[in-house]
Structures are given as structure tokens and as C-alpha cells.
């Protein structure tokens, strides 16, 4: 899935200005790269840390947070909990590849399920259905 931040002059004019301008991107966006620390800001003075089951942006050097506390982005993680939290963050806006996992599509899973049910059935068409149960004649 790809999310595009597009301006609409009628319904949401300027809604993405905080990340659209060069200065805004430096302050309000985090560019995620697999295997790298989640740092952002004009001079990488902010980072994403874990607090309990949540994540939050912090300023490095304040409240005892250091670069060692900053999370490393893992786009290949099968468990999508952290990636969903990154996608839902309002500040900073997460940009880049948030999740990159090989998985079957929904469509493929549905068709596989249909084929499994077909294979387990005793009958495969209407004629076979009629012949599988007791047959009687009404006179």
C-alpha cells in the first residue's frame, strides 16, 4: 500500500504544509530506512523511543534520552505492531518504507481457501450433489 499526501485546494488546502516545505520536512518528517536509527530533525536532534507498549518522539539530551535509546527501524519484521504505530503517528510524519514483508495477497488466500473446501467436498457439481444423498421418487 502506498499513501500519497496530496493537497486539495477545495477540501484540505494546506493540510500537508508542515511536511511539504523544505523546512517543514526537516522538523516534522522522519525518513525511515531499514536497519537505521529513527532519528529526525534538522540536526537529528530528535528520535523515536519505546515507552511501554507505545512509541514517542523525544529530544535527545532531554529527560535522560540518548541516541542509545532510539529505536532501529526494522521494515522486515513479521509482527506489524511497531509499523502500525509508526504509520499512525501525527508527529513526526513517517516517510519511506514502513513495512516490507513477503506475504500472500488477500485474493490468493481466498482462492486457496475455496480450493481447499472444494477438495474436501464429496461432490463437485450439481449432478454429483443429487447423486450423493438418498434418492427417492415421489409418486
Amino acid at each position: 500500500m502506498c499513501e500519497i499526501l496530496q493537497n486539495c485546494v477545495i477540501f484540505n488546502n494546506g493540510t500537508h504544509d508542515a511536511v511539504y516545505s523544505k523546512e517543514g520536512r526537516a522538523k516534522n518528517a522522519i525518513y525511515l530506512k531499514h536497519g537505521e536509527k529513527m532519528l529526525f530533525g534538522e540536526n537529528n536532534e530528535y528520535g523515536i523511543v519505546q515507552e511501554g507498549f507505545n512509541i514517542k518522539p523525544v529530544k535527545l539530551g532531554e529527560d535522560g534520552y540518548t541516541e542509545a535509546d532510539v529505536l532501529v527501524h526494522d521494515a522486515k519484521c513479521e509482527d506489524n505492531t511497531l509499523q502500525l504505530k509508526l504509520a499512525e503517528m501525527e508527529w513526526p510524519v513517517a516517510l519511506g518504507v514502513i513495512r516490507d514483508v513477503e506475504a500472500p495477497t488477500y485474493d490468493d488466500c481466498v482462492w486457496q481457501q475455496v480450493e481447499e473446501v472444494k477438495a474436501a467436498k464429496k461432490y463437485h457439481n450439481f449432478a454429483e450433489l443429487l447423486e450423493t444423498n438418498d434418492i427417492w421418487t415421489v409418486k
Side-chain angles (χ1 to χ4, degrees):
M1 183 174 87
C2 179
E3 183 176 8
I4 298 172
L5 305 177
Q6 182 174 349
N7 191 44
C8 175
V9 295
I10 296 171
F11 296 108
N12 66 353
N13 192 23
T15 193
H16 302 297
D17 284 350
V19 290
Y20 179 73
S21 67
K22 186 175 181 179
E23 301 82 29
R25 277 192 306 270
K27 295 176 185 173
N28 302 312
I30 180 169
Y31 293 92
L32 298 171
K33 294 179 184 169
H34 177 71
E36 293 186 14
K37 292 214 175 248
M38 293 188 233
L39 296 168
F40 67 101
E42 293 181 46
N43 300 309
N44 285 338
E45 68 270 20
Y46 295 98
I48 304 295
V49 298
Q50 186 164 3
E51 184 178 74
F53 291 111
N54 294 316
I55 59 173
K56 71 175 189 175
V58 296
K59 186 165 186 172
L60 301 179
E62 289 183 3
D63 298 326
Y65 289 108
T66 66
E67 192 171 328
D69 299 316
V70 176
L71 295 172
V72 174
H73 181 53
D74 184 5
K76 308 274 184 198
C77 183
E78 291 290 328
D79 181 4
N80 65 355
T81 305
L82 180 61
Q83 292 131 347
L84 288 172
K85 290 181 182 299
L86 287 168
E88 292 174 348
M89 277 192 319
E90 291 185 23
W91 180 80
V93 175
L95 302 174
V97 178
I98 295 176
R99 188 162 192 243
D100 182 17
V101 178
E102 291 291 325
T105 64
Y106 176 79
D107 190 55
D108 289 342
C109 290
V110 168
W111 283 112
Q112 179 183 356
Q113 206 174 26
V114 168
E115 293 304 319
E116 288 171 0
V117 170
K118 279 183 182 178
K121 292 290 182 186
K122 298 178 191 174
Y123 47 86
H124 300 91
N125 56 44
F126 188 67
E128 289 178 9
L129 172 64
L130 289 177
E131 295 170 6
T132 56
N133 296 320
D134 293 333
I135 299 173
W136 65 90
T137 304
V138 177
K139 295 183 181 182

